[in-house]
Amino acid sequence: MTLSTEHAPEHAPKMARLSLSERLQPWLPVLLVPALVLAGYLMISSPSSWLTLTVSGLAMGMMIFVIASGMTLVFGLMDVINFGHGAFVSFGAFVGVSVLLALSGMTGAPSLMLNLLAVGAAMLAAMAVTGVLGLGFERIIVRPVYGSHLKQILVTMGGLIVAEQLIHVIWGGEEIFIGRPEMLKGSVTVFGATLEKYRLVAVGLGLVLFVIMRAVLRNTKLGLIVRAGVENPEMVQAMGYHIRRVFVLVFVAGSALAGLGGVMWALYQEMITAHMGMEIMILVFIVVIIGGLGSVEGCFIGALLVGLMQNYTAFLEPKLALISNIALMVAILMWRPQGMMPVIKAK
Amino acid sequence: MIRFFLSGDHPQSRVLTALLLVILVTLALAPFLFPGTRSLETAARICIFIVLVASYDLLLGYAGIVSFAHTMFFGMGAYGVAIATQRMGTGYDAMIVGTVAGTALAAVFALGIALFSLRVRAIFFAMITLAIASAVGVLVSQLSGITGGEDGMNIRIPRELTPAFRPFDEPVLGLRITGRHLNYYLVFFSCLIMFLVLLRVVNSPFGRVLQAIRENAFRAEAIGYRVVYYRAMATVLSAAVAALAGAVFAIWLRYVGPATTLGVEIMLDILLIVVIGGMGTMYGAVIGTVVFVLAQNYLKDWMGGASDATSFLPLVPDLLNPDRWLMWLGILFILSVYFFPSGVVGRLRGKA
């Protein structure tokens, strides 16, 4: 940028070798995560608590990522923000927990295979239900209000209210407690730190999902169309692809992921309520904003930052846990007003 | 005279005028028409919510800004009074200091949020305000040393405003006047004044500019209005009025708590009322609030009856359960965004 003259295009070739800081520029957001982990290590005097908190923060971050990724893609693709996304989280949690309770024989058995099978069945059921719900939600609630942000916010908020109430109708108004499957209970001790087994599983699952999502977006034709659509939907349409169909697909996938996140969150908290989706959404919004709208990588980094920040501050100064995330958001927006890795330019 | 008070913004519909007159007279004479604590409580709540919703309408309907932090400002006014009376002792001076301090804090906070985030798009602003408001809610419930935490705080107000005070020995028009009634008229008149001031604001040149910005921010900027400045002013103004309403609410209720002033539920109520009443009309706040409060009270009864009557059907009784009234209101809300974007008031005006 420094060498380009006034009339040169932005991608003007540069002859000089870039300085180290310039080459680091695009990687700075990625470096924030280790920086935060390091800062946490310095602030928390005991290494074992630090390790516990880090794993817990990563697990939380992964779950938020699973929930937020679909939303950020939908935003990038269709310029629609879905305030009702939290409803899919709640629905997924309730469906998943119902399945787990029905399969109590399998979850209670001391066999890892059976336990994982039950959890897998719960996750698949939750994803199927929330995927179908997403299809209906897109059709009935979102489709009539493309192009108007104000109406989108209002209508999806209304959808959230109705969905929450429907959960009350179907499952009753009480919160449901759910124990983790037998083999995922308890913790393992590594270097003197207690790491809950389930959190390790959540970290693993989140990582796998991230890798798969990245691979699909980078290496498949569908991913190519989605990425191109995020950059410029009209052009993709002009190339002859049915961008609306792609969008519906992404919306359904995003809803299903939210449902999956709901199941993961339910097993993390071991309790579900109808408005849990709304509570998580606040963290999700922070993640989507700081990640940069439409960017899956930004969303991933943002989610990890939020999860780590939340857990470190909850340990150091419990009262400031949520405030710390707001402070993180403010700081990042001061630094990069469009989020860390914005894909689309502000319209 | 009427023109002056209404700032030239007439209801423009016979039905609407009649409705507004009925509401005004009913609220003005509420203590005499409906003796009894519960109905007086409802009347005061309607007065306060009209102002709260109208101040939100300034933001949503006139400036086209979606904020989820409105109850935060409402709560700041309420907590201002509570904290001041606790620290300074019972008295009018404490009430005034608390009100002014809470309102000033709300205005400063609103200015900060506005300057920080109004340059970004509507959706960003909505998400940021939601996050900040929830963080403040959490903070209030955790800083129990200052705010009383989840339990909230009881407020002691001067004796002249409590039921123990009886200024007259004889009943007036069949009603034994107590300090509670004086308190009600304090609520009624302060809310009436605030509403008329808001009406004045939206019908001033400032309000017209806001509407221009709502319709086309780019063009407004091109004409030479500083869009960010106007949006920030609208945010500050609506926050200040919300805080004043909160202070009145605290004095009336003699209690503040996170659930009564800061909750997400109240924010949703405000949003529903504005949209159902009619965005960008001010009178929509009046009609919407009355419809909403009546629905809250009577829809439940009606649904209870309907639920019992259909108890032989599957699922239907659950859908009609009185606790599910919010679902039907949510559906009504979605339908009104689609089909009556101008709400009840816009509908009535269209027919006139």
Short mmCIF file of all heavy atoms in Angstrom, two decimals, chain A residues 14-51:
data_model
loop_
_atom_site.label_atom_id
_atom_site.label_comp_id
_atom_site.label_asym_id
_atom_site.label_seq_id
_atom_site.Cartn_x
_atom_site.Cartn_y
_atom_site.Cartn_z
N LYS A 14 4.55 -4.56 -5.89
CA LYS A 14 5.57 -3.83 -5.14
C LYS A 14 6.91 -4.46 -5.46
O LYS A 14 7.05 -5.67 -5.44
CB LYS A 14 5.27 -3.93 -3.65
CG LYS A 14 3.99 -3.22 -3.28
CD LYS A 14 3.63 -3.52 -1.84
CE LYS A 14 2.20 -3.13 -1.58
NZ LYS A 14 1.78 -3.46 -0.24
N MET A 15 7.87 -3.61 -5.71
CA MET A 15 9.18 -4.12 -6.08
C MET A 15 10.01 -4.42 -4.85
O MET A 15 10.74 -5.39 -4.79
CB MET A 15 9.92 -3.09 -6.94
CG MET A 15 9.22 -2.81 -8.24
SD MET A 15 8.96 -4.34 -9.17
CE MET A 15 7.68 -3.87 -10.28
N ALA A 16 9.84 -3.56 -3.85
CA ALA A 16 10.68 -3.74 -2.66
C ALA A 16 10.19 -4.94 -1.85
O ALA A 16 9.02 -5.29 -1.90
CB ALA A 16 10.63 -2.49 -1.80
N ARG A 17 11.11 -5.57 -1.16
CA ARG A 17 10.75 -6.67 -0.28
C ARG A 17 9.99 -6.09 0.91
O ARG A 17 10.34 -5.06 1.46
CB ARG A 17 12.04 -7.35 0.20
CG ARG A 17 11.81 -8.61 0.98
CD ARG A 17 13.19 -9.21 1.32
NE ARG A 17 13.09 -10.06 2.47
CZ ARG A 17 12.59 -11.30 2.44
NH1 ARG A 17 12.15 -11.79 1.31
NH2 ARG A 17 12.55 -12.02 3.53
N LEU A 18 8.91 -6.76 1.28
CA LEU A 18 8.09 -6.24 2.36
C LEU A 18 8.85 -6.33 3.68
O LEU A 18 9.63 -7.26 3.90
CB LEU A 18 6.80 -7.06 2.48
CG LEU A 18 5.83 -6.93 1.32
CD1 LEU A 18 4.72 -7.91 1.48
CD2 LEU A 18 5.30 -5.52 1.23
N SER A 19 8.60 -5.36 4.53
CA SER A 19 9.23 -5.41 5.84
C SER A 19 8.53 -6.48 6.68
O SER A 19 7.44 -6.94 6.34
CB SER A 19 9.13 -4.06 6.52
OG SER A 19 7.79 -3.83 6.86
N LEU A 20 9.18 -6.85 7.76
CA LEU A 20 8.65 -7.93 8.58
C LEU A 20 7.25 -7.60 9.09
O LEU A 20 6.33 -8.43 9.04
CB LEU A 20 9.61 -8.17 9.77
CG LEU A 20 9.18 -9.31 10.69
CD1 LEU A 20 9.29 -10.64 9.99
CD2 LEU A 20 10.01 -9.30 11.96
N SER A 21 7.06 -6.35 9.53
CA SER A 21 5.75 -5.99 10.10
C SER A 21 4.68 -6.06 9.01
O SER A 21 3.55 -6.46 9.28
CB SER A 21 5.81 -4.59 10.69
OG SER A 21 6.04 -3.65 9.69
N GLU A 22 5.05 -5.72 7.78
CA GLU A 22 4.05 -5.78 6.71
C GLU A 22 3.70 -7.22 6.37
O GLU A 22 2.55 -7.53 6.07
CB GLU A 22 4.58 -5.08 5.46
CG GLU A 22 4.26 -3.61 5.45
CD GLU A 22 4.91 -2.93 4.26
OE1 GLU A 22 6.10 -3.15 4.01
OE2 GLU A 22 4.20 -2.18 3.58
N ARG A 23 4.71 -8.09 6.43
CA ARG A 23 4.41 -9.50 6.13
C ARG A 23 3.61 -10.13 7.27
O ARG A 23 2.85 -11.05 7.07
CB ARG A 23 5.72 -10.26 5.90
CG ARG A 23 6.15 -10.22 4.43
CD ARG A 23 7.41 -10.98 4.22
NE ARG A 23 8.52 -10.35 4.94
CZ ARG A 23 9.59 -11.01 5.36
NH1 ARG A 23 9.68 -12.29 5.16
NH2 ARG A 23 10.57 -10.37 5.97
N LEU A 24 3.79 -9.61 8.48
CA LEU A 24 3.06 -10.15 9.62
C LEU A 24 1.60 -9.69 9.63
O LEU A 24 0.74 -10.34 10.19
CB LEU A 24 3.71 -9.72 10.92
CG LEU A 24 4.75 -10.66 11.49
CD1 LEU A 24 5.31 -10.11 12.78
CD2 LEU A 24 4.16 -12.04 11.73
N GLN A 25 1.35 -8.56 9.00
CA GLN A 25 0.04 -7.90 9.08
C GLN A 25 -1.16 -8.86 8.96
O GLN A 25 -2.01 -8.88 9.85
CB GLN A 25 -0.04 -6.82 8.00
CG GLN A 25 -1.15 -5.81 8.20
CD GLN A 25 -0.88 -4.86 9.36
OE1 GLN A 25 0.24 -4.75 9.82
NE2 GLN A 25 -1.91 -4.20 9.83
N PRO A 26 -1.24 -9.67 7.91
CA PRO A 26 -2.44 -10.52 7.80
C PRO A 26 -2.50 -11.60 8.87
O PRO A 26 -3.56 -12.16 9.13
CB PRO A 26 -2.28 -11.18 6.42
CG PRO A 26 -1.13 -10.54 5.77
CD PRO A 26 -0.32 -9.86 6.80
N TRP A 27 -1.36 -11.88 9.50
CA TRP A 27 -1.33 -12.97 10.48
C TRP A 27 -1.56 -12.50 11.90
O TRP A 27 -1.68 -13.33 12.81
CB TRP A 27 0.02 -13.71 10.40
CG TRP A 27 0.15 -14.44 9.12
CD1 TRP A 27 0.82 -14.03 8.00
CD2 TRP A 27 -0.44 -15.69 8.79
NE1 TRP A 27 0.67 -14.94 7.00
CE2 TRP A 27 -0.10 -15.98 7.45
CE3 TRP A 27 -1.24 -16.59 9.48
CZ2 TRP A 27 -0.53 -17.13 6.81
CZ3 TRP A 27 -1.68 -17.74 8.84
CH2 TRP A 27 -1.31 -18.00 7.52
N LEU A 28 -1.64 -11.19 12.07
CA LEU A 28 -1.76 -10.67 13.43
C LEU A 28 -2.94 -11.27 14.20
O LEU A 28 -2.77 -11.67 15.36
CB LEU A 28 -1.88 -9.14 13.40
CG LEU A 28 -0.54 -8.40 13.29
CD1 LEU A 28 -0.76 -6.91 13.29
CD2 LEU A 28 0.39 -8.80 14.43
N PRO A 29 -4.14 -11.35 13.58
CA PRO A 29 -5.25 -11.92 14.35
C PRO A 29 -4.95 -13.33 14.83
O PRO A 29 -5.30 -13.70 15.95
CB PRO A 29 -6.41 -11.92 13.35
CG PRO A 29 -6.06 -10.87 12.37
CD PRO A 29 -4.56 -10.88 12.28
N VAL A 30 -4.27 -14.13 13.99
CA VAL A 30 -3.96 -15.50 14.38
C VAL A 30 -3.03 -15.49 15.59
O VAL A 30 -3.15 -16.33 16.49
CB VAL A 30 -3.32 -16.25 13.21
CG1 VAL A 30 -3.09 -17.70 13.57
CG2 VAL A 30 -4.17 -16.12 11.97
N LEU A 31 -2.12 -14.52 15.61
CA LEU A 31 -1.15 -14.46 16.70
C LEU A 31 -1.79 -14.01 18.00
O LEU A 31 -1.23 -14.19 19.08
CB LEU A 31 -0.01 -13.52 16.33
CG LEU A 31 0.87 -14.02 15.19
CD1 LEU A 31 1.92 -12.99 14.83
CD2 LEU A 31 1.55 -15.32 15.60
N LEU A 32 -2.98 -13.40 17.90
CA LEU A 32 -3.64 -12.92 19.11
C LEU A 32 -3.94 -14.06 20.07
O LEU A 32 -3.87 -13.89 21.28
CB LEU A 32 -4.96 -12.23 18.74
CG LEU A 32 -4.91 -10.75 18.40
CD1 LEU A 32 -6.31 -10.25 18.11
CD2 LEU A 32 -4.31 -9.97 19.55
N VAL A 33 -4.29 -15.24 19.51
CA VAL A 33 -4.68 -16.36 20.38
C VAL A 33 -3.51 -16.80 21.26
O VAL A 33 -3.63 -16.82 22.49
CB VAL A 33 -5.26 -17.52 19.55
CG1 VAL A 33 -5.61 -18.69 20.45
CG2 VAL A 33 -6.49 -17.06 18.79
N PRO A 34 -2.34 -17.14 20.63
CA PRO A 34 -1.21 -17.46 21.52
C PRO A 34 -0.83 -16.32 22.44
O PRO A 34 -0.43 -16.57 23.61
CB PRO A 34 -0.07 -17.78 20.55
CG PRO A 34 -0.58 -17.59 19.20
CD PRO A 34 -2.03 -17.35 19.23
N ALA A 35 -0.99 -15.08 21.98
CA ALA A 35 -0.65 -13.95 22.84
C ALA A 35 -1.54 -13.93 24.07
O ALA A 35 -1.08 -13.73 25.21
CB ALA A 35 -0.81 -12.64 22.06
N LEU A 36 -2.83 -14.20 23.85
CA LEU A 36 -3.76 -14.20 24.98
C LEU A 36 -3.45 -15.36 25.92
O LEU A 36 -3.47 -15.21 27.15
CB LEU A 36 -5.20 -14.31 24.46
CG LEU A 36 -6.29 -14.23 25.52
CD1 LEU A 36 -6.25 -12.89 26.23
CD2 LEU A 36 -7.66 -14.44 24.91
N VAL A 37 -3.12 -16.53 25.34
CA VAL A 37 -2.77 -17.69 26.16
C VAL A 37 -1.55 -17.37 27.01
O VAL A 37 -1.50 -17.67 28.21
CB VAL A 37 -2.52 -18.92 25.26
CG1 VAL A 37 -1.96 -20.07 26.07
CG2 VAL A 37 -3.82 -19.34 24.58
N LEU A 38 -0.58 -16.71 26.40
CA LEU A 38 0.65 -16.34 27.11
C LEU A 38 0.34 -15.35 28.23
O LEU A 38 0.81 -15.49 29.37
CB LEU A 38 1.66 -15.75 26.13
CG LEU A 38 3.07 -15.58 26.67
CD1 LEU A 38 3.69 -16.94 26.92
CD2 LEU A 38 3.93 -14.77 25.69
N ALA A 39 -0.49 -14.35 27.88
CA ALA A 39 -0.87 -13.35 28.89
C ALA A 39 -1.56 -14.05 30.06
O ALA A 39 -1.31 -13.73 31.23
CB ALA A 39 -1.78 -12.30 28.28
N GLY A 40 -2.42 -15.01 29.72
CA GLY A 40 -3.10 -15.76 30.77
C GLY A 40 -2.10 -16.48 31.65
O GLY A 40 -2.23 -16.49 32.88
N TYR A 41 -1.07 -17.06 31.03
CA TYR A 41 -0.05 -17.79 31.79
C TYR A 41 0.66 -16.86 32.76
O TYR A 41 0.94 -17.22 33.90
CB TYR A 41 0.96 -18.42 30.82
CG TYR A 41 1.98 -19.30 31.50
CD1 TYR A 41 1.61 -20.56 31.95
CD2 TYR A 41 3.28 -18.87 31.69
CE1 TYR A 41 2.52 -21.37 32.59
CE2 TYR A 41 4.20 -19.67 32.32
CZ TYR A 41 3.82 -20.92 32.77
OH TYR A 41 4.73 -21.73 33.41
N LEU A 42 0.94 -15.64 32.30
CA LEU A 42 1.66 -14.70 33.16
C LEU A 42 0.77 -14.19 34.30
O LEU A 42 1.25 -13.95 35.40
CB LEU A 42 2.17 -13.51 32.32
CG LEU A 42 3.19 -13.90 31.25
CD1 LEU A 42 3.58 -12.70 30.42
CD2 LEU A 42 4.42 -14.52 31.90
N MET A 43 -0.53 -14.04 34.00
CA MET A 43 -1.43 -13.51 35.03
C MET A 43 -1.78 -14.56 36.08
O MET A 43 -1.95 -14.25 37.24
CB MET A 43 -2.73 -13.01 34.38
CG MET A 43 -2.55 -11.95 33.34
SD MET A 43 -2.53 -10.31 34.04
CE MET A 43 -4.26 -10.04 34.32
N ILE A 44 -1.94 -15.81 35.60
CA ILE A 44 -2.34 -16.86 36.53
C ILE A 44 -1.08 -17.54 37.02
O ILE A 44 -0.33 -18.13 36.25
CB ILE A 44 -3.26 -17.88 35.81
CG1 ILE A 44 -4.50 -17.16 35.30
CG2 ILE A 44 -3.64 -19.01 36.74
CD1 ILE A 44 -5.23 -17.92 34.24
N SER A 45 -0.86 -17.47 38.32
CA SER A 45 0.44 -17.89 38.82
C SER A 45 0.62 -19.41 38.76
O SER A 45 1.71 -19.89 38.53
CB SER A 45 0.61 -17.38 40.25
OG SER A 45 -0.62 -17.45 40.93
N SER A 46 -0.48 -20.17 38.93
CA SER A 46 -0.28 -21.61 38.98
C SER A 46 -0.45 -22.24 37.59
O SER A 46 -1.51 -22.07 36.96
CB SER A 46 -1.26 -22.23 39.98
OG SER A 46 -2.10 -23.14 39.34
N PRO A 47 0.57 -22.92 37.09
CA PRO A 47 0.49 -23.49 35.73
C PRO A 47 -0.62 -24.51 35.58
O PRO A 47 -1.22 -24.62 34.51
CB PRO A 47 1.86 -24.17 35.55
CG PRO A 47 2.74 -23.56 36.56
CD PRO A 47 1.87 -23.15 37.71
N SER A 48 -0.93 -25.26 36.66
CA SER A 48 -1.96 -26.29 36.50
C SER A 48 -3.33 -25.65 36.32
O SER A 48 -4.12 -26.07 35.47
CB SER A 48 -1.94 -27.25 37.70
OG SER A 48 -2.23 -26.54 38.88
N SER A 49 -3.64 -24.59 37.09
CA SER A 49 -4.94 -23.94 36.87
C SER A 49 -4.97 -23.30 35.49
O SER A 49 -6.01 -23.28 34.83
CB SER A 49 -5.24 -22.86 37.90
OG SER A 49 -4.42 -22.89 38.97
N TRP A 50 -3.81 -22.78 35.07
CA TRP A 50 -3.77 -22.16 33.74
C TRP A 50 -4.12 -23.18 32.67
O TRP A 50 -4.90 -22.90 31.76
CB TRP A 50 -2.37 -21.58 33.50
CG TRP A 50 -2.14 -21.18 32.09
CD1 TRP A 50 -2.59 -20.05 31.48
CD2 TRP A 50 -1.42 -21.92 31.10
NE1 TRP A 50 -2.21 -20.03 30.18
CE2 TRP A 50 -1.48 -21.17 29.91
CE3 TRP A 50 -0.73 -23.13 31.11
CZ2 TRP A 50 -0.88 -21.60 28.72
CZ3 TRP A 50 -0.13 -23.55 29.94
CH2 TRP A 50 -0.21 -22.78 28.77
N LEU A 51 -3.57 -24.39 32.79
CA LEU A 51 -3.84 -25.42 31.78
C LEU A 51 -5.32 -25.79 31.80
O LEU A 51 -5.97 -25.89 30.74
CB LEU A 51 -2.97 -26.65 32.07
CG LEU A 51 -2.95 -27.71 30.97
CD1 LEU A 51 -2.49 -27.10 29.66
CD2 LEU A 51 -2.03 -28.86 31.35
#
